[in-house]
Amino acid sequence: MDQFTIKYPGDKAGLLNKIKSTIGDKGKLAGDEQQGSFEGSTPVGKFEGSYAIAGDDITISISKKPFLVSTNRIKEEFEKALKKV
Protein backbone atom coordinates (compact mmCIF):
# COMPACT_ATOMS: atom_id res chain seq x y z
CA MET A 1 0.00 0.00 0.00
CA ASP A 2 1.29 3.44 -0.92
CA GLN A 3 0.80 6.35 1.45
CA PHE A 4 1.54 10.07 1.52
CA THR A 5 0.64 13.07 3.65
CA ILE A 6 -0.46 16.51 2.47
CA LYS A 7 -0.70 19.63 4.64
CA TYR A 8 -4.04 21.41 4.40
CA PRO A 9 -4.63 24.16 6.99
CA GLY A 10 -8.02 25.19 5.55
CA ASP A 11 -11.60 24.25 6.28
CA LYS A 12 -12.07 20.47 6.31
CA ALA A 13 -15.70 20.52 5.14
CA GLY A 14 -14.56 22.55 2.14
CA LEU A 15 -11.74 20.07 1.66
CA LEU A 16 -14.18 17.15 1.37
CA ASN A 17 -16.20 19.07 -1.21
CA LYS A 18 -13.01 19.63 -3.22
CA ILE A 19 -12.13 15.93 -3.07
CA LYS A 20 -15.67 15.00 -4.13
CA SER A 21 -15.59 17.41 -7.07
CA THR A 22 -12.14 16.13 -8.10
CA ILE A 23 -13.32 12.52 -8.10
CA GLY A 24 -16.47 13.68 -9.85
CA ASP A 25 -18.74 11.30 -11.73
CA LYS A 26 -15.93 8.77 -12.07
CA GLY A 27 -15.91 7.70 -8.45
CA LYS A 28 -17.23 8.09 -4.95
CA LEU A 29 -16.19 9.34 -1.55
CA ALA A 30 -17.50 8.02 1.76
CA GLY A 31 -16.55 9.46 5.11
CA ASP A 32 -16.40 12.59 7.19
CA GLU A 33 -13.97 15.29 8.28
CA GLN A 34 -11.76 12.76 10.07
CA GLN A 35 -11.56 9.67 7.89
CA GLY A 36 -13.09 7.90 4.95
CA SER A 37 -12.51 6.11 1.69
CA PHE A 38 -12.64 6.90 -1.99
CA GLU A 39 -12.57 5.16 -5.33
CA GLY A 40 -12.51 6.32 -8.89
CA SER A 41 -11.32 5.50 -12.36
CA THR A 42 -8.90 6.90 -14.87
CA PRO A 43 -8.49 6.10 -18.57
CA VAL A 44 -5.88 3.49 -17.56
CA GLY A 45 -7.73 1.83 -14.68
CA LYS A 46 -9.36 2.12 -11.26
CA PHE A 47 -7.96 3.45 -8.02
CA GLU A 48 -9.07 3.03 -4.41
CA GLY A 49 -7.86 4.30 -1.11
CA SER A 50 -8.63 5.91 2.20
CA TYR A 51 -7.87 9.13 4.00
CA ALA A 52 -7.39 10.24 7.59
CA ILE A 53 -7.36 13.87 8.72
CA ALA A 54 -5.47 14.85 11.89
CA GLY A 55 -5.11 18.59 12.42
CA ASP A 56 -3.72 20.02 9.19
CA ASP A 57 -2.34 16.69 7.94
CA ILE A 58 -4.25 14.57 5.49
CA THR A 59 -2.80 11.09 5.15
CA ILE A 60 -3.85 9.36 1.95
CA SER A 61 -3.43 5.61 1.56
CA ILE A 62 -3.73 4.13 -1.92
CA SER A 63 -4.79 0.49 -1.82
CA LYS A 64 -5.34 0.01 -5.56
CA LYS A 65 -4.07 1.97 -8.53
CA PRO A 66 -3.38 1.42 -12.22
CA PHE A 67 0.06 -0.08 -12.81
CA LEU A 68 0.96 2.79 -15.16
CA VAL A 69 0.16 5.52 -12.61
CA SER A 70 2.77 6.32 -9.97
CA THR A 71 1.87 7.19 -6.39
CA ASN A 72 3.71 10.46 -6.92
CA ARG A 73 1.38 11.28 -9.82
CA ILE A 74 -1.67 10.63 -7.62
CA LYS A 75 -0.18 12.87 -4.92
CA GLU A 76 0.37 15.65 -7.48
CA GLU A 77 -3.28 15.40 -8.55
CA PHE A 78 -4.47 15.64 -4.93
CA GLU A 79 -2.25 18.65 -4.27
CA LYS A 80 -3.45 20.33 -7.45
CA ALA A 81 -7.09 19.73 -6.47
CA LEU A 82 -6.57 21.12 -2.96
CA LYS A 83 -5.11 24.35 -4.34
CA LYS A 84 -8.31 25.07 -6.27
CA VAL A 85 -10.22 27.32 -3.92
Side-chain angles (χ1 to χ4, degrees):
M1 182 183 306
D2 297 311
Q3 190 171 305
F4 55 88
T5 301
I6 299 173
K7 286 256 183 237
Y8 186 80
D11 175 59
K12 303 309 180 269
L15 165 72
L16 290 181
N17 288 332
K18 286 182 193 179
I19 294 173
K20 281 180 185 170
S21 66
T22 300
I23 293 173
D25 300 336
K26 300 179 189 126
K28 58 186 175 188
L29 175 76
D32 56 25
E33 293 168 29
Q34 293 173 330
Q35 64 184 20
S37 61
F38 57 86
E39 62 182 63
S41 60
T42 70
V44 292
K46 291 185 169 224
F47 63 91
E48 294 176 11
S50 60
Y51 68 90
I53 300 173
D56 291 343
D57 289 343
I58 305 160
T59 301
I60 311 240
S61 302
I62 306 295
S63 53
K64 180 180 178 183
K65 68 177 181 60
F67 179 73
L68 298 172
V69 179
S70 71
T71 300
N72 212 36
R73 178 80 178 114
I74 294 171
K75 181 179 180 184
E76 287 171 12
E77 288 300 317
F78 267 95
E79 288 173 333
K80 203 187 305 179
L82 297 183
K83 286 180 182 148
K84 290 181 195 168
V85 178

